[in-house]
PDB file of all heavy atoms in Angstrom:
ATOM      1  N   GLY A  67     -26.602 -26.238 -37.193  1.00 93.00           N
ATOM      2  CA  GLY A  67     -25.900 -27.494 -36.946  1.00 93.00           C
ATOM      3  C   GLY A  67     -26.690 -28.491 -36.128  1.00 93.00           C
ATOM      4  O   GLY A  67     -26.138 -29.509 -35.690  1.00 93.00           O
ATOM      5  N   MET A  68     -27.965 -28.242 -35.933  1.00 94.00           N
ATOM      6  CA  MET A  68     -28.795 -29.146 -35.127  1.00 94.00           C
ATOM      7  C   MET A  68     -29.553 -30.144 -35.986  1.00 94.00           C
ATOM      8  O   MET A  68     -30.006 -29.816 -37.092  1.00 94.00           O
ATOM      9  CB  MET A  68     -29.806 -28.333 -34.311  1.00 94.00           C
ATOM     10  CG  MET A  68     -29.180 -27.453 -33.231  1.00 94.00           C
ATOM     11  SD  MET A  68     -28.277 -28.372 -31.975  1.00 94.00           S
ATOM     12  CE  MET A  68     -29.625 -29.253 -31.176  1.00 94.00           C
ATOM     13  N   THR A  69     -29.699 -31.364 -35.456  1.00 93.00           N
ATOM     14  CA  THR A  69     -30.661 -32.318 -35.998  1.00 93.00           C
ATOM     15  C   THR A  69     -31.997 -32.003 -35.346  1.00 93.00           C
ATOM     16  O   THR A  69     -32.082 -31.858 -34.121  1.00 93.00           O
ATOM     17  CB  THR A  69     -30.237 -33.762 -35.693  1.00 93.00           C
ATOM     18  OG1 THR A  69     -29.010 -34.026 -36.374  1.00 93.00           O
ATOM     19  CG2 THR A  69     -31.298 -34.755 -36.138  1.00 93.00           C
ATOM     20  N   HIS A  70     -33.036 -31.899 -36.148  1.00 95.00           N
ATOM     21  CA  HIS A  70     -34.314 -31.375 -35.658  1.00 95.00           C
ATOM     22  C   HIS A  70     -35.254 -32.512 -35.254  1.00 95.00           C
ATOM     23  O   HIS A  70     -36.031 -33.033 -36.062  1.00 95.00           O
ATOM     24  CB  HIS A  70     -34.940 -30.470 -36.715  1.00 95.00           C
ATOM     25  CG  HIS A  70     -34.052 -29.333 -37.096  1.00 95.00           C
ATOM     26  ND1 HIS A  70     -33.675 -28.353 -36.198  1.00 95.00           N
ATOM     27  CD2 HIS A  70     -33.426 -29.032 -38.265  1.00 95.00           C
ATOM     28  CE1 HIS A  70     -32.874 -27.491 -36.797  1.00 95.00           C
ATOM     29  NE2 HIS A  70     -32.702 -27.881 -38.040  1.00 95.00           N
ATOM     30  N   TRP A  71     -35.178 -32.867 -33.984  1.00 94.00           N
ATOM     31  CA  TRP A  71     -35.948 -34.005 -33.465  1.00 94.00           C
ATOM     32  C   TRP A  71     -37.449 -33.739 -33.452  1.00 94.00           C
ATOM     33  O   TRP A  71     -38.236 -34.689 -33.390  1.00 94.00           O
ATOM     34  CB  TRP A  71     -35.455 -34.348 -32.052  1.00 94.00           C
ATOM     35  CG  TRP A  71     -34.154 -35.087 -32.064  1.00 94.00           C
ATOM     36  CD1 TRP A  71     -32.916 -34.593 -32.358  1.00 94.00           C
ATOM     37  CD2 TRP A  71     -33.966 -36.473 -31.786  1.00 94.00           C
ATOM     38  NE1 TRP A  71     -31.964 -35.589 -32.268  1.00 94.00           N
ATOM     39  CE2 TRP A  71     -32.585 -36.752 -31.919  1.00 94.00           C
ATOM     40  CE3 TRP A  71     -34.824 -37.522 -31.432  1.00 94.00           C
ATOM     41  CZ2 TRP A  71     -32.043 -38.017 -31.709  1.00 94.00           C
ATOM     42  CZ3 TRP A  71     -34.277 -38.781 -31.223  1.00 94.00           C
ATOM     43  CH2 TRP A  71     -32.918 -39.031 -31.359  1.00 94.00           C
ATOM     44  N   GLN A  72     -37.857 -32.499 -33.498  1.00 93.00           N
ATOM     45  CA  GLN A  72     -39.302 -32.198 -33.542  1.00 93.00           C
ATOM     46  C   GLN A  72     -39.812 -32.051 -34.970  1.00 93.00           C
ATOM     47  O   GLN A  72     -40.976 -31.690 -35.185  1.00 93.00           O
ATOM     48  CB  GLN A  72     -39.596 -30.931 -32.734  1.00 93.00           C
ATOM     49  CG  GLN A  72     -39.121 -30.986 -31.292  1.00 93.00           C
ATOM     50  CD  GLN A  72     -39.508 -32.266 -30.578  1.00 93.00           C
ATOM     51  OE1 GLN A  72     -40.669 -32.675 -30.596  1.00 93.00           O
ATOM     52  NE2 GLN A  72     -38.542 -32.916 -29.943  1.00 93.00           N
ATOM     53  N   HIS A  73     -38.975 -32.339 -35.944  1.00 95.00           N
ATOM     54  CA  HIS A  73     -39.370 -32.257 -37.351  1.00 95.00           C
ATOM     55  C   HIS A  73     -40.429 -33.321 -37.640  1.00 95.00           C
ATOM     56  O   HIS A  73     -40.290 -34.479 -37.241  1.00 95.00           O
ATOM     57  CB  HIS A  73     -38.143 -32.490 -38.229  1.00 95.00           C
ATOM     58  CG  HIS A  73     -38.294 -32.007 -39.634  1.00 95.00           C
ATOM     59  ND1 HIS A  73     -39.198 -32.556 -40.518  1.00 95.00           N
ATOM     60  CD2 HIS A  73     -37.639 -31.031 -40.328  1.00 95.00           C
ATOM     61  CE1 HIS A  73     -39.098 -31.939 -41.685  1.00 95.00           C
ATOM     62  NE2 HIS A  73     -38.158 -31.008 -41.596  1.00 95.00           N
ATOM     63  N   PRO A  74     -41.521 -32.956 -38.322  1.00 95.00           N
ATOM     64  CA  PRO A  74     -42.582 -33.933 -38.597  1.00 95.00           C
ATOM     65  C   PRO A  74     -42.144 -35.115 -39.470  1.00 95.00           C
ATOM     66  O   PRO A  74     -42.861 -36.104 -39.553  1.00 95.00           O
ATOM     67  CB  PRO A  74     -43.658 -33.106 -39.308  1.00 95.00           C
ATOM     68  CG  PRO A  74     -43.391 -31.707 -38.896  1.00 95.00           C
ATOM     69  CD  PRO A  74     -41.902 -31.606 -38.751  1.00 95.00           C
ATOM     70  N   ARG A  75     -40.963 -35.003 -40.120  1.00 94.00           N
ATOM     71  CA  ARG A  75     -40.487 -36.111 -40.947  1.00 94.00           C
ATOM     72  C   ARG A  75     -39.248 -36.772 -40.340  1.00 94.00           C
ATOM     73  O   ARG A  75     -38.425 -37.337 -41.045  1.00 94.00           O
ATOM     74  CB  ARG A  75     -40.233 -35.610 -42.375  1.00 94.00           C
ATOM     75  CG  ARG A  75     -41.531 -35.152 -43.018  1.00 94.00           C
ATOM     76  CD  ARG A  75     -41.383 -34.656 -44.440  1.00 94.00           C
ATOM     77  NE  ARG A  75     -42.683 -34.207 -44.946  1.00 94.00           N
ATOM     78  CZ  ARG A  75     -42.882 -33.695 -46.150  1.00 94.00           C
ATOM     79  NH1 ARG A  75     -41.859 -33.550 -46.989  1.00 94.00           N
ATOM     80  NH2 ARG A  75     -44.092 -33.313 -46.534  1.00 94.00           N
ATOM     81  N   PHE A  76     -39.166 -36.702 -39.032  1.00 94.00           N
ATOM     82  CA  PHE A  76     -38.140 -37.420 -38.285  1.00 94.00           C
ATOM     83  C   PHE A  76     -38.651 -38.843 -38.077  1.00 94.00           C
ATOM     84  O   PHE A  76     -39.534 -39.082 -37.258  1.00 94.00           O
ATOM     85  CB  PHE A  76     -37.890 -36.734 -36.944  1.00 94.00           C
ATOM     86  CG  PHE A  76     -36.766 -37.327 -36.131  1.00 94.00           C
ATOM     87  CD1 PHE A  76     -35.528 -36.715 -36.081  1.00 94.00           C
ATOM     88  CD2 PHE A  76     -36.938 -38.500 -35.418  1.00 94.00           C
ATOM     89  CE1 PHE A  76     -34.484 -37.247 -35.330  1.00 94.00           C
ATOM     90  CE2 PHE A  76     -35.912 -39.051 -34.679  1.00 94.00           C
ATOM     91  CZ  PHE A  76     -34.680 -38.422 -34.631  1.00 94.00           C
ATOM     92  N   PHE A  77     -38.106 -39.786 -38.820  1.00 95.00           N
ATOM     93  CA  PHE A  77     -38.548 -41.182 -38.755  1.00 95.00           C
ATOM     94  C   PHE A  77     -37.429 -42.106 -38.268  1.00 95.00           C
ATOM     95  O   PHE A  77     -37.499 -43.319 -38.451  1.00 95.00           O
ATOM     96  CB  PHE A  77     -39.027 -41.642 -40.134  1.00 95.00           C
ATOM     97  CG  PHE A  77     -40.142 -40.805 -40.714  1.00 95.00           C
ATOM     98  CD1 PHE A  77     -39.991 -40.166 -41.944  1.00 95.00           C
ATOM     99  CD2 PHE A  77     -41.335 -40.640 -40.035  1.00 95.00           C
ATOM    100  CE1 PHE A  77     -41.009 -39.403 -42.496  1.00 95.00           C
ATOM    101  CE2 PHE A  77     -42.359 -39.871 -40.569  1.00 95.00           C
ATOM    102  CZ  PHE A  77     -42.208 -39.246 -41.807  1.00 95.00           C
ATOM    103  N   ALA A  78     -36.385 -41.540 -37.678  1.00 94.00           N
ATOM    104  CA  ALA A  78     -35.240 -42.309 -37.216  1.00 94.00           C
ATOM    105  C   ALA A  78     -35.388 -42.675 -35.736  1.00 94.00           C
ATOM    106  O   ALA A  78     -36.253 -42.149 -35.037  1.00 94.00           O
ATOM    107  CB  ALA A  78     -33.965 -41.489 -37.426  1.00 94.00           C
ATOM    108  N   TYR A  79     -34.522 -43.558 -35.271  1.00 90.00           N
ATOM    109  CA  TYR A  79     -34.467 -43.935 -33.860  1.00 90.00           C
ATOM    110  C   TYR A  79     -35.888 -44.173 -33.327  1.00 90.00           C
ATOM    111  O   TYR A  79     -36.693 -44.863 -33.913  1.00 90.00           O
ATOM    112  CB  TYR A  79     -33.739 -42.859 -33.055  1.00 90.00           C
ATOM    113  CG  TYR A  79     -32.358 -42.561 -33.586  1.00 90.00           C
ATOM    114  CD1 TYR A  79     -32.105 -41.413 -34.341  1.00 90.00           C
ATOM    115  CD2 TYR A  79     -31.306 -43.439 -33.354  1.00 90.00           C
ATOM    116  CE1 TYR A  79     -30.834 -41.150 -34.838  1.00 90.00           C
ATOM    117  CE2 TYR A  79     -30.040 -43.189 -33.864  1.00 90.00           C
ATOM    118  CZ  TYR A  79     -29.807 -42.047 -34.605  1.00 90.00           C
ATOM    119  OH  TYR A  79     -28.565 -41.791 -35.101  1.00 90.00           O
ATOM    120  N   PHE A  80     -36.195 -43.568 -32.161  1.00 91.00           N
ATOM    121  CA  PHE A  80     -37.562 -43.432 -31.680  1.00 91.00           C
ATOM    122  C   PHE A  80     -37.798 -41.938 -31.460  1.00 91.00           C
ATOM    123  O   PHE A  80     -36.845 -41.167 -31.335  1.00 91.00           O
ATOM    124  CB  PHE A  80     -37.773 -44.195 -30.371  1.00 91.00           C
ATOM    125  CG  PHE A  80     -37.961 -45.682 -30.561  1.00 91.00           C
ATOM    126  CD1 PHE A  80     -37.317 -46.585 -29.740  1.00 91.00           C
ATOM    127  CD2 PHE A  80     -38.787 -46.180 -31.563  1.00 91.00           C
ATOM    128  CE1 PHE A  80     -37.486 -47.951 -29.902  1.00 91.00           C
ATOM    129  CE2 PHE A  80     -38.962 -47.543 -31.746  1.00 91.00           C
ATOM    130  CZ  PHE A  80     -38.314 -48.426 -30.906  1.00 91.00           C
ATOM    131  N   PRO A  81     -39.037 -41.496 -31.395  1.00 90.00           N
ATOM    132  CA  PRO A  81     -39.278 -40.068 -31.215  1.00 90.00           C
ATOM    133  C   PRO A  81     -38.792 -39.578 -29.854  1.00 90.00           C
ATOM    134  O   PRO A  81     -38.701 -40.350 -28.894  1.00 90.00           O
ATOM    135  CB  PRO A  81     -40.803 -39.949 -31.335  1.00 90.00           C
ATOM    136  CG  PRO A  81     -41.313 -41.298 -30.957  1.00 90.00           C
ATOM    137  CD  PRO A  81     -40.298 -42.270 -31.455  1.00 90.00           C
ATOM    138  N   ALA A  82     -38.459 -38.306 -29.781  1.00 92.00           N
ATOM    139  CA  ALA A  82     -38.191 -37.631 -28.504  1.00 92.00           C
ATOM    140  C   ALA A  82     -39.103 -36.407 -28.503  1.00 92.00           C
ATOM    141  O   ALA A  82     -38.650 -35.273 -28.612  1.00 92.00           O
ATOM    142  CB  ALA A  82     -36.726 -37.246 -28.378  1.00 92.00           C
ATOM    143  N   ASN A  83     -40.385 -36.659 -28.409  1.00 93.00           N
ATOM    144  CA  ASN A  83     -41.381 -35.616 -28.614  1.00 93.00           C
ATOM    145  C   ASN A  83     -41.384 -34.572 -27.503  1.00 93.00           C
ATOM    146  O   ASN A  83     -41.096 -34.869 -26.341  1.00 93.00           O
ATOM    147  CB  ASN A  83     -42.775 -36.234 -28.712  1.00 93.00           C
ATOM    148  CG  ASN A  83     -43.004 -36.906 -30.058  1.00 93.00           C
ATOM    149  OD1 ASN A  83     -42.467 -36.462 -31.063  1.00 93.00           O
ATOM    150  ND2 ASN A  83     -43.797 -37.963 -30.074  1.00 93.00           N
ATOM    151  N   ALA A  84     -41.720 -33.362 -27.899  1.00 93.00           N
ATOM    152  CA  ALA A  84     -41.920 -32.270 -26.947  1.00 93.00           C
ATOM    153  C   ALA A  84     -43.151 -31.510 -27.401  1.00 93.00           C
ATOM    154  O   ALA A  84     -43.063 -30.541 -28.154  1.00 93.00           O
ATOM    155  CB  ALA A  84     -40.702 -31.363 -26.892  1.00 93.00           C
ATOM    156  N   ALA A  85     -44.313 -31.992 -26.996  1.00 94.00           N
ATOM    157  CA  ALA A  85     -45.552 -31.309 -27.341  1.00 94.00           C
ATOM    158  C   ALA A  85     -45.480 -29.862 -26.856  1.00 94.00           C
ATOM    159  O   ALA A  85     -44.911 -29.588 -25.794  1.00 94.00           O
ATOM    160  CB  ALA A  85     -46.742 -32.016 -26.693  1.00 94.00           C
ATOM    161  N   PRO A  86     -46.017 -28.904 -27.616  1.00 94.00           N
ATOM    162  CA  PRO A  86     -45.910 -27.499 -27.208  1.00 94.00           C
ATOM    163  C   PRO A  86     -46.332 -27.235 -25.766  1.00 94.00           C
ATOM    164  O   PRO A  86     -45.685 -26.446 -25.073  1.00 94.00           O
ATOM    165  CB  PRO A  86     -46.810 -26.788 -28.215  1.00 94.00           C
ATOM    166  CG  PRO A  86     -46.674 -27.622 -29.461  1.00 94.00           C
ATOM    167  CD  PRO A  86     -46.612 -29.043 -28.965  1.00 94.00           C
ATOM    168  N   VAL A  87     -47.387 -27.885 -25.309  1.00 95.00           N
ATOM    169  CA  VAL A  87     -47.825 -27.637 -23.935  1.00 95.00           C
ATOM    170  C   VAL A  87     -46.777 -28.117 -22.942  1.00 95.00           C
ATOM    171  O   VAL A  87     -46.592 -27.537 -21.866  1.00 95.00           O
ATOM    172  CB  VAL A  87     -49.195 -28.302 -23.663  1.00 95.00           C
ATOM    173  CG1 VAL A  87     -49.101 -29.830 -23.669  1.00 95.00           C
ATOM    174  CG2 VAL A  87     -49.774 -27.815 -22.332  1.00 95.00           C
ATOM    175  N   SER A  88     -46.044 -29.158 -23.307  1.00 94.00           N
ATOM    176  CA  SER A  88     -44.956 -29.640 -22.458  1.00 94.00           C
ATOM    177  C   SER A  88     -43.814 -28.637 -22.404  1.00 94.00           C
ATOM    178  O   SER A  88     -43.179 -28.442 -21.361  1.00 94.00           O
ATOM    179  CB  SER A  88     -44.462 -30.994 -22.995  1.00 94.00           C
ATOM    180  OG  SER A  88     -43.349 -31.457 -22.297  1.00 94.00           O
ATOM    181  N   VAL A  89     -43.558 -27.984 -23.538  1.00 94.00           N
ATOM    182  CA  VAL A  89     -42.513 -26.949 -23.576  1.00 94.00           C
ATOM    183  C   VAL A  89     -42.895 -25.786 -22.661  1.00 94.00           C
ATOM    184  O   VAL A  89     -42.059 -25.253 -21.919  1.00 94.00           O
ATOM    185  CB  VAL A  89     -42.295 -26.469 -25.022  1.00 94.00           C
ATOM    186  CG1 VAL A  89     -41.304 -25.313 -25.061  1.00 94.00           C
ATOM    187  CG2 VAL A  89     -41.807 -27.619 -25.903  1.00 94.00           C
ATOM    188  N   VAL A  90     -44.149 -25.389 -22.691  1.00 94.00           N
ATOM    189  CA  VAL A  90     -44.613 -24.309 -21.811  1.00 94.00           C
ATOM    190  C   VAL A  90     -44.389 -24.688 -20.346  1.00 94.00           C
ATOM    191  O   VAL A  90     -43.908 -23.872 -19.535  1.00 94.00           O
ATOM    192  CB  VAL A  90     -46.098 -23.989 -22.075  1.00 94.00           C
ATOM    193  CG1 VAL A  90     -46.642 -23.025 -21.025  1.00 94.00           C
ATOM    194  CG2 VAL A  90     -46.277 -23.406 -23.478  1.00 94.00           C
ATOM    195  N   ALA A  91     -44.723 -25.929 -19.994  1.00 95.00           N
ATOM    196  CA  ALA A  91     -44.512 -26.382 -18.615  1.00 95.00           C
ATOM    197  C   ALA A  91     -43.035 -26.337 -18.251  1.00 95.00           C
ATOM    198  O   ALA A  91     -42.670 -25.967 -17.122  1.00 95.00           O
ATOM    199  CB  ALA A  91     -45.066 -27.789 -18.438  1.00 95.00           C
ATOM    200  N   GLU A  92     -42.173 -26.665 -19.206  1.00 94.00           N
ATOM    201  CA  GLU A  92     -40.735 -26.636 -18.932  1.00 94.00           C
ATOM    202  C   GLU A  92     -40.221 -25.219 -18.735  1.00 94.00           C
ATOM    203  O   GLU A  92     -39.258 -25.001 -17.997  1.00 94.00           O
ATOM    204  CB  GLU A  92     -39.966 -27.315 -20.060  1.00 94.00           C
ATOM    205  CG  GLU A  92     -39.979 -28.835 -19.967  1.00 94.00           C
ATOM    206  CD  GLU A  92     -39.150 -29.349 -18.797  1.00 94.00           C
ATOM    207  OE1 GLU A  92     -39.677 -29.347 -17.667  1.00 94.00           O
ATOM    208  OE2 GLU A  92     -37.995 -29.752 -18.997  1.00 94.00           O
ATOM    209  N   TYR A  93     -40.826 -24.222 -19.405  1.00 94.00           N
ATOM    210  CA  TYR A  93     -40.477 -22.833 -19.118  1.00 94.00           C
ATOM    211  C   TYR A  93     -40.666 -22.552 -17.617  1.00 94.00           C
ATOM    212  O   TYR A  93     -39.819 -21.925 -16.965  1.00 94.00           O
ATOM    213  CB  TYR A  93     -41.384 -21.856 -19.875  1.00 94.00           C
ATOM    214  CG  TYR A  93     -41.250 -21.781 -21.374  1.00 94.00           C
ATOM    215  CD1 TYR A  93     -42.290 -21.237 -22.139  1.00 94.00           C
ATOM    216  CD2 TYR A  93     -40.109 -22.212 -22.047  1.00 94.00           C
ATOM    217  CE1 TYR A  93     -42.194 -21.141 -23.520  1.00 94.00           C
ATOM    218  CE2 TYR A  93     -40.009 -22.120 -23.418  1.00 94.00           C
ATOM    219  CZ  TYR A  93     -41.057 -21.581 -24.157  1.00 94.00           C
ATOM    220  OH  TYR A  93     -40.969 -21.484 -25.521  1.00 94.00           O
ATOM    221  N   LEU A  94     -41.802 -23.004 -17.099  1.00 93.00           N
ATOM    222  CA  LEU A  94     -42.136 -22.734 -15.706  1.00 93.00           C
ATOM    223  C   LEU A  94     -41.188 -23.470 -14.767  1.00 93.00           C
ATOM    224  O   LEU A  94     -40.747 -22.917 -13.751  1.00 93.00           O
ATOM    225  CB  LEU A  94     -43.585 -23.127 -15.432  1.00 93.00           C
ATOM    226  CG  LEU A  94     -44.631 -22.506 -16.359  1.00 93.00           C
ATOM    227  CD1 LEU A  94     -46.018 -22.993 -16.004  1.00 93.00           C
ATOM    228  CD2 LEU A  94     -44.566 -20.980 -16.322  1.00 93.00           C
ATOM    229  N   VAL A  95     -40.876 -24.718 -15.120  1.00 91.00           N
ATOM    230  CA  VAL A  95     -39.940 -25.497 -14.311  1.00 91.00           C
ATOM    231  C   VAL A  95     -38.573 -24.816 -14.286  1.00 91.00           C
ATOM    232  O   VAL A  95     -37.936 -24.694 -13.233  1.00 91.00           O
ATOM    233  CB  VAL A  95     -39.834 -26.936 -14.854  1.00 91.00           C
ATOM    234  CG1 VAL A  95     -38.666 -27.679 -14.212  1.00 91.00           C
ATOM    235  CG2 VAL A  95     -41.134 -27.692 -14.612  1.00 91.00           C
ATOM    236  N   SER A  96     -38.122 -24.360 -15.462  1.00 89.00           N
ATOM    237  CA  SER A  96     -36.818 -23.694 -15.531  1.00 89.00           C
ATOM    238  C   SER A  96     -36.815 -22.401 -14.730  1.00 89.00           C
ATOM    239  O   SER A  96     -35.822 -22.060 -14.078  1.00 89.00           O
ATOM    240  CB  SER A  96     -36.460 -23.404 -16.991  1.00 89.00           C
ATOM    241  OG  SER A  96     -36.286 -24.599 -17.710  1.00 89.00           O
ATOM    242  N   ALA A  97     -37.919 -21.670 -14.778  1.00 89.00           N
ATOM    243  CA  ALA A  97     -37.994 -20.400 -14.041  1.00 89.00           C
ATOM    244  C   ALA A  97     -37.936 -20.631 -12.535  1.00 89.00           C
ATOM    245  O   ALA A  97     -37.246 -19.902 -11.812  1.00 89.00           O
ATOM    246  CB  ALA A  97     -39.261 -19.649 -14.420  1.00 89.00           C
ATOM    247  N   MET A  98     -38.639 -21.659 -12.041  1.00 86.00           N
ATOM    248  CA  MET A  98     -38.622 -21.943 -10.599  1.00 86.00           C
ATOM    249  C   MET A  98     -37.311 -22.583 -10.171  1.00 86.00           C
ATOM    250  O   MET A  98     -36.828 -22.347  -9.057  1.00 86.00           O
ATOM    251  CB  MET A  98     -39.790 -22.851 -10.234  1.00 86.00           C
ATOM    252  CG  MET A  98     -41.140 -22.169 -10.267  1.00 86.00           C
ATOM    253  SD  MET A  98     -42.467 -23.219  -9.625  1.00 86.00           S
ATOM    254  CE  MET A  98     -42.633 -24.408 -10.972  1.00 86.00           C
ATOM    255  N   ALA A  99     -36.734 -23.425 -11.053  1.00 84.00           N
ATOM    256  CA  ALA A  99     -35.433 -24.061 -10.791  1.00 84.00           C
ATOM    257  C   ALA A  99     -35.377 -24.712  -9.419  1.00 84.00           C
ATOM    258  O   ALA A  99     -34.415 -24.528  -8.657  1.00 84.00           O
ATOM    259  CB  ALA A  99     -34.305 -23.049 -10.970  1.00 84.00           C
TER     260      ALA A  99
END
Side-chain angles (χ1 to χ4, degrees):
M68 293 298 293
T69 296
H70 302 297
W71 283 72
Q72 304 312 310
H73 199 295
R75 296 181 182 179
F76 185 102
F77 303 122
Y79 305 103
F80 281 136
N83 284 328
V87 68
S88 175
V89 175
V90 171
E92 280 290 82
Y93 291 161
L94 306 179
V95 169
S96 295
M98 288 187 287

